[in-house]
Amino acid sequence: MALVNSKKMFEQAYKNGYAIGAFNVNNMEIVQGITEACKEEKAPVILQVSKGARAYANHTYLVKLVEAAVLECPDIPVVLHLDHGPDFETCKSCIDGGFTSVMIDGSHLPFEENIALTKKVVDYAHERGVTVEGELGTLAGIEDDVKVEHGAESYTKPEEVIEFVTRTGVDSLAIAIGTSHGAYKFKPEQCTRNEQGILVPPALRFDILEEVSKKLPGFPIVLHGSSSVPQDYVKMVNENGGKMPDAIGVPEEQLRKAAALSVCKINIDSDLRLAMTGTIRKFYNEHPDKFDPREYLKPARANIKEIVRHKLINVLGCAGKAEECK
Ligand code: G3H
Ligand code: 13P
Ligand code: ZN
């Protein structure tokens, strides 16, 4: 089937207590790893492209890679989404250039400016059948040029969400409840140790999520910064020449809980980066004589596929849901 917008996916996800995985794509191997897993698990999927991805790989290459995946996976619905659209022009360029969904990220702006910018994008997008994600509240971490220090992030204020959604007309809303971008989401001193000696991060602010959901019944919520930073891959990186001390992510049980509530889209990028980097580092270490990129990209792609499969089945709950999302 052709690329779709996110409307039907979110309706089904909300109604049936699961979330759609939104995975960032930057090259062919990442597109293939993600979509091969979704095809085999019959899962709907959102492939998302950041401003940085467009600068790295070029808009046309990314659109064509995603279109190739759609041809290879004709039985699953696929959304092509702009992640963290920084301004109206970037959103317009993506809408005009084949994307079926965009995020306008005005979360760093004062409330009224965020509303005005988001509404401008919504008006342009909706006339063209494209869905729009807005954001209220800021996450810590780095995305493209914007770096928000830990401690400077701000949770979404539930009292603002009705006005924001009503005045902008957005189709989904990203909120800040304690997740953050990148592989260092929590400091070890914020965590406690369980019986096995594993660091357990503080819980997400489910009270905020629940308040938001009460104010916006039936409305799809988005969680950014939702990588879990698998410790096996952190270890693989560190044992093979990398240096990622104290990389900690969001526990998967908490994401599963969010997916069963009103969270309909969960953004995962860092986990795929870790899988790719760990696998390639290990390959280099074990095969110092090899120099054919296909030889190290192949296992990297295979591990991206397996981590996505795991997320679809055990975290998002969207495996087997492709048909109902069409
Ligand atoms: O939230 C940001 C995503 O992880 C994309 O990262 O801006 O480095 O492409 P990027
Ligand atoms: P992670 O860094 O946790 O993977 O978050 C990705 C994200 O939110 C993309 O928008
Ligand atoms: Zn994000």
Side-chain angles (χ1 to χ4, degrees):
M1 69 186 293
L3 284 169
V4 295
N5 68 28
S6 62
K7 216 161 181 61
K8 184 85 188 278
M9 282 188 194
F10 289 168
E11 273 167 23
Q12 293 298 329
Y14 195 100
K15 197 165 76 183
N16 298 310
Y18 58 86
I20 312 294
F23 303 101
N24 288 71
V25 297
N26 291 280
N27 65 19
M28 183 186 76
E29 287 75 13
I30 298 174
V31 171
Q32 289 176 329
I34 298 164
T35 54
E36 282 173 19
C38 293
K39 181 180 181 175
E40 287 177 17
E41 297 306 326
K42 300 182 175 40
V45 68
I46 298 173
L47 299 177
Q48 55 185 16
V49 167
S50 68
K51 176 184 161 195
R54 287 175 94 222
Y56 169 74
N58 167 305
H59 175 97
T60 310
Y61 277 92
L62 290 169
V63 171
K64 294 297 165 193
L65 284 172
V66 169
E67 286 175 0
V70 169
L71 290 177
E72 289 293 323
C73 309
D75 296 331
I76 59 167
V78 179
V79 171
L80 174 54
H81 174 78
L82 169 65
D83 189 27
H84 294 286
D87 47 42
F88 175 78
E89 289 67 33
T90 308
C91 292
K92 179 179 183 303
S93 157
C94 288
I95 294 165
D96 295 345
F99 283 45
T100 52
S101 175
V102 294
M103 174 190 192
I104 175 67
D105 185 353
S107 59
H108 54 288
L109 296 171
F111 188 61
E112 282 299 326
E113 286 174 43
N114 188 0
I115 288 184
L117 174 61
T118 305
K119 181 168 172 22
K120 188 175 173 190
V121 172
V122 168
D123 289 346
Y124 190 80
H126 282 182
E127 273 176 28
R128 291 155 182 84
V130 170
T131 40
V132 181
E133 173 185 331
E135 179 166 352
L136 274 178
T138 49
L139 277 67
I142 307 172
E143 74 222 9
D144 285 323
D145 320 327
V146 183
K147 181 172 195 304
V148 179
E149 297 293 344
H150 281 276
E153 67 272 35
S154 57
Y155 296 118
T156 303
K157 298 186 183 106
E159 62 274 21
E160 291 184 346
V161 299
I162 295 179
E163 186 177 353
F164 185 81
V165 165
T166 316
R167 285 178 59 195
T168 59
V170 280
D171 303 281
S172 61
L173 179 68
I175 63 167
I177 59 166
T179 62
S180 63
H181 290 108
Y184 302 91
K185 300 189 190 298
F186 305 97
K187 301 212 172 77
E189 50 273 26
Q190 290 178 278
C191 303
T192 48
R193 277 193 196 278
N194 69 11
E195 285 136 31
Q196 290 83 45
I198 294 167
L199 287 175
V200 181
L204 298 178
R205 291 289 304 271
F206 280 96
D207 56 321
I208 298 179
L209 174 61
E210 277 162 24
E211 249 190 278
V212 167
S213 313
K214 256 188 234 151
K215 290 186 187 290
L216 298 173
F219 192 82
I221 301 302
V222 177
L223 280 192
H224 282 247
S226 297
S227 277
S228 296
V229 190
Q231 293 302 303
D232 288 353
Y233 277 120
V234 174
K235 196 161 168 257
M236 193 186 282
V237 167
N238 289 334
E239 284 178 355
N240 289 283
K243 204 170 178 188
M244 297 188 68
D246 301 330
I248 302 171
V250 182
E252 289 185 336
E253 315 79 70
Q254 293 194 34
L255 298 168
R256 184 68 207 103
K257 180 174 163 189
L261 300 169
S262 56
V263 171
C264 295
K265 172 175 181 271
I266 293 189
N267 286 12
I268 298 170
D269 183 17
S270 297
D271 284 355
L272 274 48
R273 294 181 181 196
L274 258 179
M276 185 160 212
T277 301
T279 307
I280 292 173
R281 278 192 176 280
K282 185 163 182 278
F283 184 93
Y284 286 157
N285 236 3
E286 289 174 355
H287 307 280
D289 54 322
K290 306 251 190 205
F291 70 103
D292 180 342
R294 291 172 298 186
E295 290 187 276
Y296 57 81
L297 288 172
K298 200 171 165 183
R301 179 176 60 190
N303 280 345
I304 286 178
K305 180 174 171 180
E306 289 319 308
I307 200 166
V308 170
R309 190 197 305 282
H310 163 72
K311 300 282 179 185
L312 300 173
I313 298 171
N314 302 309
V315 181
L316 302 156
C318 63
K321 308 293 186 186
E323 207 51 43
E324 69 185 38
C325 288
K326 283 185 188 168

